[in-house]
Every structure is written in structure tokens, then in C-alpha cells.
Amino acid sequence: MKVTVVGAGNVGATCADVLAYREVANEIVLVDIKEGLAEGKALDIWQKAPIDLYDSRTIGATNDYSKSANSDVVVITSGLPRKPGMSRDDLIGTNAGIVKSVTENVIKYSPEAIIIVVSNPLDVMTYQAHLTSKLPRTKVFGMAGILDTARYRAFLAEALNISPKDIQAMLLGGHGDTMVPLPRYTTVAGIPVTELIDKDKLNAILERTKVGGGELVKLMGTSAWYAPGSAAAQMVEAIVKDQRRVFPVCIRLDGEYGIKDCYLGVPVVLGKNGIEKVIELDLNPEERILLESSRKAVREVMDVLENLA
Ligand code: LMR
């Protein structure tokens, strides 16, 4: 199996590192526009192999997509990260052009690849990758829900003083402050979380989750990479190993949840063909209202993208 990660910045390099460490693919190509960066990071990850005992081969390339030819899965992390005070949507002007040209190169050399978008603003950059690649929605989708639920689960584990391993959660909507974490679908080893934590504490965690990316941007002056990189790698693993895992993933809705032509995070089954199935939950009226406001927020930015073209 061959996987390419485009963008050798913090997120892309973390993703490539996790893919190698977990031996998800035997060939992992890292591509970046900056001279020597991808080669250097790929070499560094390869030199870690004898220590961490993996045999996935990592190869770097400066803007040479021929090295990525015939990849099974491509992860696009390219684009600027946000700075304190910026929203993810503020990145659209710069990142749309970057994601467009990266996708053109990816498709030229790997027309059959499944594309996972990580660049921000996530939902709309996934739309951009679709517009450029013309791939069906089952083969071009975005990583956000695994990251957002991971933050939610980590905060809950801390509050409940239990292992994050035992927390299962689901979340819907765009990768922005209007995301919709679902306490009704959150359990701790099968126990509804609402039985274990009081309402105010849970609400505080839900609010913190919604701005989880921004919290890190404020702390570090740039955006996060460990959890985003690992989250993307987990999606690649589900595809490459045909695990049929159930994750929240950003996909274009074609009528599910009563929504059409909008890229939003919903639960899906992820396997060798990409998105094998979209799972439709029976939302209550309050959850529907929240999802609708998330849809509106994403749709507005999709319109901005359409007007850029
Ligand atoms: C994240 O959630 O960490 C990423 O989307 C990066 C960001 O700007 O928040």
C-alpha cells in the first residue's frame, strides 16, 4: 500500500510519522513545496525506524508529485495555519488556491486515490478538493470529527478521572465553533455520560470542545498538530486495512439529515472504498436546530469559495 501526505509541516509530518510507526503502509511519501523539508522529515522518520521497530519506508519530495504516483490514499494538509485572533474561515483566500493546485497534482499522478483533506477551513477545503478532483463524495472527504471528538473525550476523561479509552462519542456539523457534540450519543463503557457528570460540567466541556482548536492557537501562536496528525492517520488506517470503522467524517450530504449540497461531519463507515456508508441518526428537535445553524455557517463559506472562482 502507498500513502502520500502532502504538506510536511507539523500536521503532515505527524501524520506521516504515525503512519510509519503503526506500519499502516509500506510506502509513505511526504511532499512539500519548501525545498528539502519533506526529504528531511521523511529521512528523520526513516532513521527512527530501527529505534521504534517499523519497516514502513518514508520518502520525501520537493514539489515532485511523480514520487506520489499510484498512491492508494492521499492526505492533504497543505495551507497556512491560523494565528491567534483568526477564525479558520479567514484562511479561505490563501488555502483555497493551495488546495486546488495540490489536488490537481495529486489527481494527475494518482487518479484512483482516496483523498482525505485536513486543510482549513476544513469543510470548504473538502469541497474545493471535490471541485478540482471531480471524485465522488465517497472518495474525497475531510478529517475533523475524529479530532473534535478526541478533544471532547479527553476533556471528559479528565473531568471524570477515567481512561479516555473508555469514552465513546459522536459529533456532527462543521469543523468550527458551530460543531454539534452529541451528549445523547456519548457513553463511558456503555454508560450514558449524562449519568456520570452533572449538566453544568458537561455543558462547559461541550463549549470548550467547540473552541478546542482555538484554545491551542491561543496557547501556541499557531494551530495544533499531534491530535490532527494522528486523527488523519487513523482514517488512513481504517481505509488501508478495510477496518469499516465508524467515525464522524466531513462529507457532502446528499439528502441525509434533510440536507443537500453541504459538506458537514456525520458518522460514516470507513473502509477500503472510502466512505462505505453514511449513518443517519434520529436527531431530536434541539439537535436539528444546532445542525441547521452549523449547515448555514458552512454554506456561507462554501458560497464565498464559489464566488472566488
Ligand atoms: C484544529 O482544530 O486544531 C485545526 O482545525 C487547526 C485550527 O486552526 O484550529
Side-chain angles (χ1 to χ4, degrees):
M1 281 284 177
K2 179 167 175 178
V3 176
T4 289
V5 180
V6 188
N10 289 328
V11 176
T14 301
C15 179
D17 184 31
V18 174
L19 290 171
Y21 183 69
R22 294 174 66 94
E23 297 184 317
V24 171
N26 47 327
E27 196 179 350
I28 298 160
V29 180
L30 199 51
V31 181
D32 199 279
I33 195 164
K34 190 169 171 206
E35 188 71 44
L37 185 71
E39 287 88 337
K41 291 200 180 179
L43 183 60
D44 193 13
I45 295 169
W46 176 238
Q47 290 172 355
K48 193 163 68 69
I51 305 168
D52 281 341
L53 301 180
Y54 52 81
D55 48 30
S56 295
R57 187 75 175 91
T58 48
I59 293 150
T62 301
N63 229 9
D64 178 3
Y65 285 80
S66 67
K67 296 265 172 31
S68 73
N70 301 318
S71 292
D72 298 286
V73 183
V74 177
V75 181
I76 299 178
T77 71
S78 318
L80 294 185
R82 59 177 163 150
K83 293 209 161 62
M86 292 173 86
S87 83
R88 295 180 181 93
D89 297 343
D90 293 335
L91 299 168
I92 189 169
T94 324
N95 287 358
I98 295 173
V99 170
K100 182 171 187 281
S101 96
V102 165
T103 308
E104 281 163 0
N105 281 308
V106 164
I107 282 299
K108 184 169 166 202
Y109 289 98
S110 304
E112 301 298 324
I114 289 173
I115 297 180
I116 300 173
V117 179
V118 179
S119 315
N120 271 319
L122 186 276
D123 309 281
V124 183
M125 290 305 95
T126 308
Y127 179 35
Q128 175 68 72
H130 161 72
L131 289 174
T132 309
S133 66
K134 314 254 180 324
L135 286 174
R137 68 175 187 153
T138 50
K139 291 190 75 182
V140 53
F141 40 85
M143 184 295 294
I146 297 181
L147 170 63
D148 295 325
T149 47
R151 289 185 174 137
Y152 175 40
R153 290 157 68 199
F155 297 150
L156 281 171
E158 200 179 349
L160 295 168
N161 194 21
I162 55 165
S163 166
K165 287 182 187 164
D166 291 321
I167 301 178
Q168 295 282 323
M170 191 40 72
L171 180 145
L172 303 175
H175 182 50
D177 302 353
T178 58
M179 69 180 74
V180 188
L182 295 172
R184 219 157 53 87
Y185 293 98
T186 307
T187 61
V188 177
I191 308 162
V193 74
T194 43
E195 292 184 17
L196 300 174
I197 190 164
D198 70 55
K199 222 173 165 199
D200 290 349
K201 265 197 189 156
L202 181 58
N203 279 339
I205 287 174
L206 297 175
E207 291 312 311
R208 187 176 174 197
T209 301
K210 290 184 193 171
V211 293
E215 179 181 354
L216 291 163
V217 174
K218 261 192 215 150
L219 286 168
M220 304 191 294
T222 187
S223 51
W225 58 89
Y226 293 116
S230 273
Q234 191 169 49
M235 288 174 71
V236 176
E237 187 170 27
I239 296 164
V240 166
K241 298 186 180 168
D242 193 22
Q243 290 172 325
R244 299 188 69 86
R245 294 211 54 190
V246 177
F247 292 131
V249 166
C250 170
I251 180 177
R252 187 189 68 234
L253 294 180
D254 280 350
E256 297 90 354
Y257 295 88
I259 296 173
K260 257 182 127 37
D261 293 331
C262 189
Y263 281 80
L264 286 174
V266 293
V268 305
V269 177
L270 213 51
K272 67 175 188 305
N273 300 305
I275 293 185
E276 308 278 357
K277 184 182 176 188
V278 175
I279 298 174
E280 220 172 327
L281 303 174
D282 189 13
L283 300 182
N284 65 29
E286 195 189 334
E287 291 159 348
R288 280 194 180 279
I289 289 168
L290 292 172
L291 185 60
E292 173 55 16
S293 85
S294 196
R295 184 202 66 80
K296 269 196 190 141
V298 172
R299 188 62 244 183
E300 268 173 29
V301 191
M302 285 173 68
D303 291 344
V304 172
L305 180 78
E306 283 167 5
N307 290 327
L308 281 178

